Amino acid sequence: MKRLHEILSEYGKSNTVPFHMPGHKRRADILPDWNPWQMDFTEVEGLDNMHCAEGIIKDAQAELALVYGVDASYFMVNGSTGGILAAISSCVKHGDSIVVARNCHKSVYNAMYLNELKPVYVYPTLIEEWEISGGISPEEVRQAIFANPEVKAVVITSPTYEGIVSDVEAIAKIAHEHNIPLIVDEAHGAHLKLMENSPKSAVDCGADIVIQSFHKLLPALTQTAVLHFNSKIVDRGRLENYLGIYQTSSPSYLFMASMDWALDFMQSEKGRCLAKEYWKELNIFKEKCHSLKKLCIMEEDIVGKNEVFGFDRTKLVVSTTCGSIPGSVLEEKLLKEFKIQAEMSKGSNVLLMTSVVDGAEVFERLYAALEKMDGKLVQEQDTQPGADCGEDSKKGTSRVTNEKTALSYYATVTLTSYEAVNAKQEQVSAEDAVGKISAEYIYLYPPGIPIVVPGEMITQELYDIILYYKENYFGEGATSNRRLQGMQDKSMNTLLVVDNLEEK
């Protein structure tokens, strides 16, 4: 049996093109020539201490804050997850209420569990033709705060996995009118401030705390992230205390160095030239994609509708709707036939993540693969009225999944997640769970947005959604690299629910 290190070494040397994170894409010709073993230190004399920064780490974080234009910035070596846990914990007290966008990452839900918070959900709109979540309405946030004046913080995700940006500035203004801080999970937006032609970053829109993953779209190592603080209403000392709680006491110097290098690189002449070339090649690629008949690329015309305030063009969302095949089929063929690894597929979409280090060669290779797949779909299918995307590539009428059903589902919250997880529980058959309160999470990873949260009622509609996901994203029958996680029974024949006999 091959060991993990052997498999990783072989995969890294393969000819597979990575259209997935991390953003450095293993570009040895661009990345620093480091020996990781020689860069792996602990807190020895002269190397400072991340949890009590007074020297080189303090200076590096000060430079980070200067570039992003905030009061303070902090290296995160436990990914954005650690930053989100610290940010929420610093803004609330035990048992508080919090306004949360329902499409937030599981780390937000973990923070709510740990602090026994009462969620007040706001829901993203649904971009139905693309089967993805749109933006968060500022007016919905206003109404949520008005109806729940006891809330202590607002948390949203922007950009989303697919690059959808909400009107963060308007949401921040509404929150601040009530002296409530806004926390933005901008894990997919660390590059926005550093690259021209990008939507405005949350750090420039009045958010109090912004968490970003450097590794997603910048040339930094996996698990690297930063937290930006820019608030007059959040206690910075309390935040720093929680940063120490949720991060390892043995932070990786290699991680910190890769973030520091990535920041320098993006501001260097080489980095700026690379970014300019990147945008040029991306535009050429997208222009060529207009000739595709059955495969469609999401573009900026989604902005201005469905609460979409901006769109991150580095994300390539390819719809297979007009070709009447699931996105998972395209994802599989891209890998097996063309050695192109996508980030994920979902419903009738495939998500391909690009970064500043992607150049002409990889875009040409991707287009050649899409063009060939598109031609096969044209040959295999009889053209139906309205089925050919043509000029209007967003109006395909054929639906091959009900992925959008889960996106438009409104949860019935009965208990807090803490109450449900710590209540008397029972394991029941999946079909018998209808009408009961879930005591466990069910979520797809990536991206880690819960379908079910402990404390939510399992309605018939929700049960049907669970069955759909089980069929498409579970076990040997899964047709995607996404997987259902969180359930105690890995077979999914039973679900863990709150014992309804218990007095609550």
Side-chain angles (χ1 to χ4, degrees):
M1 181 183 72
K2 287 186 178 179
R3 302 301 297 273
L4 173 62
H5 65 89
E6 294 174 322
I7 293 173
L8 290 176
S9 179
E10 289 178 6
Y11 192 88
K13 295 172 184 176
S14 71
N15 193 32
T16 303
V17 179
F19 277 96
H20 56 82
M21 62 181 82
H24 58 71
K25 303 294 186 79
R26 305 189 297 275
R27 282 285 303 272
D29 58 320
I30 292 173
L31 299 171
D33 185 20
W34 291 345
N35 180 334
W37 304 103
Q38 293 179 343
M39 298 280 287
D40 189 21
F41 287 97
T42 189
E43 294 87 350
V44 296
E45 181 67 28
L47 296 187
D48 207 358
N49 186 316
M50 190 187 78
H51 292 291
C52 185
E54 298 175 336
I56 57 173
I57 296 175
K58 178 182 178 181
D59 294 343
Q61 292 184 150
E63 175 65 18
L64 181 63
L66 181 65
V67 170
Y68 279 86
V70 295
D71 291 343
S73 296
Y74 302 88
F75 288 144
M76 304 298 304
V77 295
N78 285 20
S80 283
T81 291
I84 288 169
L85 292 170
I88 293 175
S89 298
S90 70
C91 293
V92 301
K93 292 183 181 178
H94 179 91
D96 279 345
S97 295
I98 183 170
V99 173
V100 176
R102 188 58 175 81
N103 62 330
C104 280
H105 184 262
K106 65 177 183 176
S107 56
V108 171
Y109 293 87
N110 289 336
M112 288 196 291
Y113 169 77
L114 291 170
N115 291 282
E116 302 185 35
L117 303 181
K118 303 178 183 70
V120 176
Y121 288 136
V122 289
Y123 291 81
T125 59
L126 170 64
I127 307 178
E128 189 167 350
E129 61 268 34
W130 286 97
E131 296 182 320
I132 63 172
S133 294
I136 297 295
S137 164
E139 186 56 33
E140 277 205 33
V141 174
R142 184 191 303 277
Q143 291 174 8
I145 295 174
F146 180 78
N148 302 273
E150 74 280 5
V151 299
K152 300 302 182 185
V154 176
V155 184
I156 66 170
T157 298
S158 178
T160 65
Y161 219 120
E162 294 86 6
I164 302 300
V165 177
S166 294
D167 190 349
V168 177
E169 194 164 359
I171 294 171
K173 184 178 179 182
I174 291 167
H176 293 162
E177 287 172 357
H178 299 270
N179 202 38
I180 295 171
L182 172 63
I183 300 167
V184 178
D185 176 357
E186 199 174 72
H188 283 266
H191 63 296
L192 300 182
K193 181 79 172 180
L194 304 178
M195 293 179 68
E196 296 179 356
N197 306 312
S198 296
K200 206 172 179 181
S201 169
V203 298
D204 294 322
C205 294
D208 295 84
I209 302 177
V210 179
I211 303 98
Q212 302 171 333
S213 287
F214 259 43
H215 73 92
K216 283 181 167 57
L217 291 152
L218 293 178
L221 292 173
T222 296
Q223 204 172 308
T224 55
V226 298
L227 182 147
H228 301 296
F229 174 86
N230 207 28
S231 180
K232 294 180 174 59
I233 56 178
V234 177
D235 186 332
R236 182 174 166 183
R238 182 176 168 88
L239 171 65
E240 291 180 348
N241 180 55
Y242 278 107
L243 288 172
I245 291 173
Y246 289 118
Q247 295 208 90
T248 174
S249 59
S250 302
S252 167
Y253 277 82
L254 191 59
F255 286 179
M256 290 186 283
S258 81
M259 286 186 276
D260 198 37
W261 178 86
L263 186 68
D264 279 351
F265 176 79
M266 293 299 294
Q267 298 179 92
S268 69
E269 182 65 26
K270 183 177 182 180
R272 288 193 294 267
C273 288
L274 200 66
K276 185 176 180 180
E277 186 67 17
Y278 162 80
W279 286 121
K280 172 189 169 184
E281 296 302 332
L282 179 63
N283 289 333
I284 291 172
F285 166 80
K286 289 193 173 185
E287 185 65 31
K288 290 195 295 186
C289 285
H290 291 160
S291 65
L292 301 177
K293 302 296 184 184
K294 298 294 182 180
L295 301 175
C296 315
I297 307 288
M298 192 162 72
E299 286 284 10
E300 286 87 345
D301 58 2
I302 62 168
V303 176
K305 298 171 286 187
N306 300 301
E307 300 295 340
V308 179
F309 193 73
F311 174 56
D312 177 16
R313 299 176 67 244
T314 68
K315 299 294 184 72
L316 299 179
V317 181
V318 184
S319 174
T320 63
T321 294
C322 297
S324 297
I325 60 171
S328 57
V329 172
L330 177 60
E331 179 188 25
E332 182 180 20
K333 289 184 179 295
L334 284 174
L335 180 59
K336 291 186 175 180
E337 297 181 20
F338 303 99
K339 289 191 177 299
I340 292 173
Q341 177 64 68
E343 172 69 19
M344 71 172 185
S345 62
K346 182 177 75 169
S348 58
N349 296 330
V350 174
L351 174 63
L352 300 121
M353 293 178 65
T354 70
S355 83
V356 67
V357 305
D358 287 321
E361 183 180 352
V362 295
F363 283 119
E364 288 169 3
R365 186 164 162 181
L366 176 60
Y367 178 73
L370 293 177
E371 182 183 40
K372 190 168 183 178
M373 279 296 306
D374 191 71
K376 287 183 178 179
L377 291 171
V378 170
Q379 290 177 355
E380 292 171 359
Q381 298 166 16
D382 294 328
T383 302
Q384 301 295 326
D388 191 339
C389 292
E391 292 293 324
D392 193 356
S393 64
K394 314 300 185 294
K395 297 189 181 294
T397 58
S398 171
R399 277 286 166 261
V400 294
T401 76
N402 64 346
E403 188 87 19
K404 63 179 180 289
T405 306
L407 300 176
S408 57
Y409 177 78
Y410 278 54
T412 303
V413 180
T414 306
L415 302 172
T416 67
S417 59
Y418 184 87
E419 289 171 335
V421 168
N422 290 281
K424 186 179 179 182
Q425 302 167 354
E426 60 178 337
Q427 203 86 29
V428 300
S429 65
E431 57 269 23
D432 288 340
V434 175
K436 297 183 182 296
I437 302 167
S438 176
E440 62 184 349
Y441 292 94
I442 301 177
Y443 56 86
L444 276 171
Y445 203 91
I449 299 170
I451 302 163
V452 182
V453 176
E456 295 179 354
M457 182 70 70
I458 301 176
T459 62
Q460 183 63 50
E461 182 184 1
L462 180 55
Y463 175 69
D464 292 341
I465 292 169
I466 293 170
L467 286 184
Y468 164 74
Y469 280 122
K470 179 180 178 181
E471 179 182 345
N472 288 274
Y473 302 109
F474 183 78
E476 295 181 359
T479 56
S480 167
N481 68 341
R482 302 173 85 203
R483 289 293 183 271
L484 280 173
Q485 299 180 26
M487 314 80 61
Q488 190 175 98
D489 178 8
K490 303 307 179 184
S491 71
M492 283 200 73
N493 293 323
T494 63
L495 295 175
L496 189 64
V497 298
V498 173
D499 188 341
N500 288 331
L501 297 178
E502 181 185 22
E503 292 185 6
K504 304 175 185 64

